Amino acid sequence: MEFNLQIKNQAGLHARPAAMFAQKASSFKSNILIFKDGKNGNAKSIISIMGLGVKKGDTLLVKIDGPDAAEAGAALKKLVDDKFGEE
């Protein structure tokens, strides 16, 4: 499955939200990749996520492949929609 996520929290994917995103992604068996501006990263790696330099208003393409892809997609969308609990 593929879908776009627009980052809504004020500071973008700095350390804490990147850690939350990686932790949530790691709780699923599926392979999860994120893409931004021609770069991609493993959604289960905080270093990989932070390397993308995601800021408020940026849109990520998320590609999920695996047995629990639907659940993983829903969980990651909810995390982003809830602004990582920041606001």
Side-chain angles (χ1 to χ4, degrees):
M1 80 182 299
E2 292 183 17
F3 58 91
N4 289 315
L5 285 178
Q6 185 175 27
I7 302 303
K8 301 172 185 171
N9 59 311
Q10 192 64 36
L13 289 184
H14 61 82
R16 191 181 71 80
M20 292 172 71
F21 196 92
Q23 184 177 25
K24 183 62 74 178
S26 295
S27 69
F28 296 97
K29 294 179 181 174
S30 296
N31 294 317
I32 306 172
L33 295 175
I34 54 176
F35 298 79
K36 177 187 167 272
D37 298 335
K39 297 188 293 185
N40 67 74
N42 180 347
K44 297 180 180 182
S45 165
I46 184 173
I47 299 300
S48 186
I49 294 169
M50 291 183 69
L52 296 176
V54 180
K55 298 181 178 93
K56 181 181 181 181
D58 286 346
T59 299
L60 300 176
L61 171 64
V62 181
K63 293 185 178 182
I64 306 175
D65 180 36
D68 51 4
E71 294 86 355
L76 293 173
K77 285 179 186 176
K78 181 172 182 354
L79 186 63
V80 171
D81 287 344
D82 291 344
K83 301 179 184 176
F84 300 91
E86 289 186 348
E87 300 171 21

